[in-house]
Amino acid sequence: MRRNISVSLLGLFLMCLSACESENNNSELTPFEPNLPGNFPQEFVVPDFNPITEQSVQLGKMLYADTDLDGTGEGRSCAGCHHADKAFTSVQEGPLNVMSHMNLAWQDVFLWQGQVEGTLEDVMLFEVKDFFKADPGRITGKEKYKKLLAEVYGDSQITEKHLAYAIANYVRTLTSSDSKFDKIMRKEPGYAFTSSEANGWALFNSEEGDCFHCHGSFLFMDNDFHNTGLDDEWLGLDQGRFLVTGNASDMGKFKTPTLRNIELTAPYMHDGRFATLEEVVEFYSSGVKFTEMTDPMMSHEGGISLTEQEKKDLVAFLKTLTDESLKE
């Protein structure tokens, strides 16, 4: 299920020019060059059928914020639910919490229940067609889009796919990599953990704290699904991954959310049941409901039984994952 399609962006662009000629006859497109820090992979995961260019990113950014993408008449937009100052999430408005659009360039399964697997193009096509029910004519009829659409897609008849692919390339650029934690890992001058943050980081990576199993790697998530003992019976949307696969072993499983910018993305869990980080830590300390469906990696029955100081230390560390530049 996991994919690892990484190629040089410049090489990818040149390789795809001829393959995409039927949709784009403009050789003046500028390859998008990511500016990623040393503690991040230096290449995006980019499919060969949607080369990323400055022009496609610009087009996707415009579409991301445009309520004309919504063909239902409700006036929705991607940006309306995914706010930059909240790490591209928003305050919960529906039965499921809004997942972050940050760092999706390195993920290949999407949404809380994993309804879409594959590439960013796959999930954005799902959003454009099924969520927004977009009418491409509403976009192609707007003067501000005509030049960019012609540059990116030539004389092609614009479809939902074209809109989704442009949005995918924009979302691919939404990276969060400049938190205090990142600066410490890069050994930038003037940045160091406080005593409490350092204790929280050590606890995070210990078997006692038991956080790193699901929230390891530079993404602070594992691109997988887990039942973490939130409930001991599952009804409706709380059935999670089971609603997609029908496999009894997936009952109550949800996609691991990233912990990057977790300070900005309250409320927490798939249903927003916890309002604060302190409540989340308390749950994992003393509120875990063990059943036959609870993930076996959670080996501490009932919770990890943290002291009050350890709870404070863990929250202090989690706040070092906040990328302050997103608040600007």
Side-chain angles (χ1 to χ4, degrees), residues 178-247:
D178 203 30
S179 66
K180 179 179 180 179
F181 170 83
D182 293 308
K183 292 176 170 123
I184 293 170
M185 293 299 104
R186 296 194 294 260
K187 299 184 177 357
E188 293 187 15
Y191 291 94
F193 286 132
T194 66
S195 175
S196 180
E197 292 165 353
N199 290 339
W201 174 227
L203 182 62
F204 183 95
N205 288 294
S206 70
E207 292 295 339
E208 177 191 0
D210 215 15
C211 306
F212 70 97
H213 289 118
C214 295
H215 294 285
S217 88
F218 73 101
L219 291 177
F220 282 87
M221 54 86 69
D222 62 359
N223 209 33
D224 209 346
F225 301 84
H226 303 279
N227 181 324
T228 59
L230 281 170
D231 301 296
D232 52 14
E233 62 177 359
W234 306 275
L235 301 171
L237 291 176
D238 290 337
Q239 295 174 89
R241 181 74 169 150
F242 170 79
L243 294 174
V244 174
T245 68
N247 295 330

Side-chain angles (χ1 to χ4, degrees), residues 127 178 183 229 289 291 315:
E127 298 285 1
D178 203 30
K183 292 176 170 123
K289 298 175 181 177
T291 70
V315 170

Side-chain angles (χ1 to χ4, degrees), residues 153-304:
Y153 296 122
D155 297 328
S156 298
Q157 181 68 36
I158 301 302
T159 66
E160 294 98 332
K161 183 186 79 171
H162 295 95
L163 304 180
Y165 283 16
I167 295 171
N169 271 342
Y170 169 62
V171 173
R172 192 167 270 120
T173 70
L174 300 180
T175 58
S176 177
S177 58
D178 203 30
S179 66
K180 179 179 180 179
F181 170 83
D182 293 308
K183 292 176 170 123
I184 293 170
M185 293 299 104
R186 296 194 294 260
K187 299 184 177 357
E188 293 187 15
Y191 291 94
F193 286 132
T194 66
S195 175
S196 180
E197 292 165 353
N199 290 339
W201 174 227
L203 182 62
F204 183 95
N205 288 294
S206 70
E207 292 295 339
E208 177 191 0
D210 215 15
C211 306
F212 70 97
H213 289 118
C214 295
H215 294 285
S217 88
F218 73 101
L219 291 177
F220 282 87
M221 54 86 69
D222 62 359
N223 209 33
D224 209 346
F225 301 84
H226 303 279
N227 181 324
T228 59
L230 281 170
D231 301 296
D232 52 14
E233 62 177 359
W234 306 275
L235 301 171
L237 291 176
D238 290 337
Q239 295 174 89
R241 181 74 169 150
F242 170 79
L243 294 174
V244 174
T245 68
N247 295 330
S249 61
D250 286 331
M251 185 64 72
K253 288 185 177 180
F254 289 90
K255 185 182 177 185
T256 306
T258 181
L259 295 184
R260 284 187 171 274
N261 300 299
I262 195 69
E263 182 182 10
L264 306 178
T265 59
Y268 304 108
M269 305 303 183
H270 69 278
D271 55 2
R273 69 180 65 187
F274 299 131
T276 66
L277 281 175
E278 286 77 10
E279 289 179 17
V280 175
V281 171
E282 184 58 53
F283 162 73
Y284 284 114
S285 179
S286 63
V288 176
K289 298 175 181 177
F290 265 70
T291 70
E292 70 278 9
M293 298 300 177
T294 307
D295 196 291
M297 286 194 297
M298 301 187 66
S299 56
H300 300 77
E301 187 164 353
I304 54 179

Side-chain angles (χ1 to χ4, degrees), residues 66-83:
D66 198 334
T67 56
D68 275 340
L69 190 68
D70 188 1
T72 70
E74 297 179 26
R76 302 170 301 174
S77 69
C78 302
C81 286
H82 298 274
H83 303 164

Side-chain angles (χ1 to χ4, degrees), residues 45-157:
V45 179
V46 182
D48 59 7
F49 53 79
N50 188 29
I52 185 169
T53 65
E54 295 283 356
Q55 290 84 352
S56 69
V57 170
Q58 182 184 353
L59 174 60
K61 183 176 182 179
M62 292 168 64
L63 291 168
Y64 192 88
D66 198 334
T67 56
D68 275 340
L69 190 68
D70 188 1
T72 70
E74 297 179 26
R76 302 170 301 174
S77 69
C78 302
C81 286
H82 298 274
H83 303 164
D85 62 350
K86 287 183 65 65
F88 288 87
T89 67
S90 67
V91 175
Q92 184 178 2
E93 296 179 356
L96 289 176
N97 214 344
V98 178
M99 297 196 86
S100 175
H101 275 174
M102 300 300 310
N103 298 336
L104 292 189
W106 297 277
Q107 300 182 39
D108 60 16
V109 59
F110 305 95
L111 308 175
W112 281 108
Q113 298 160 346
Q115 296 97 309
V116 181
E117 297 183 38
T119 65
L120 268 174
E121 286 71 19
D122 293 316
V123 70
M124 292 307 155
L125 187 57
F126 167 83
E127 298 285 1
V128 167
K129 292 182 68 174
D130 297 330
F131 182 75
F132 288 114
K133 302 186 185 306
D135 174 6
R138 290 165 61 93
I139 301 300
T140 57
K142 299 183 76 171
E143 191 64 34
K144 70 176 182 178
Y145 284 112
K146 290 182 179 179
K147 181 175 182 292
L148 267 179
L149 286 169
E151 287 179 341
V152 177
Y153 296 122
D155 297 328
S156 298
Q157 181 68 36

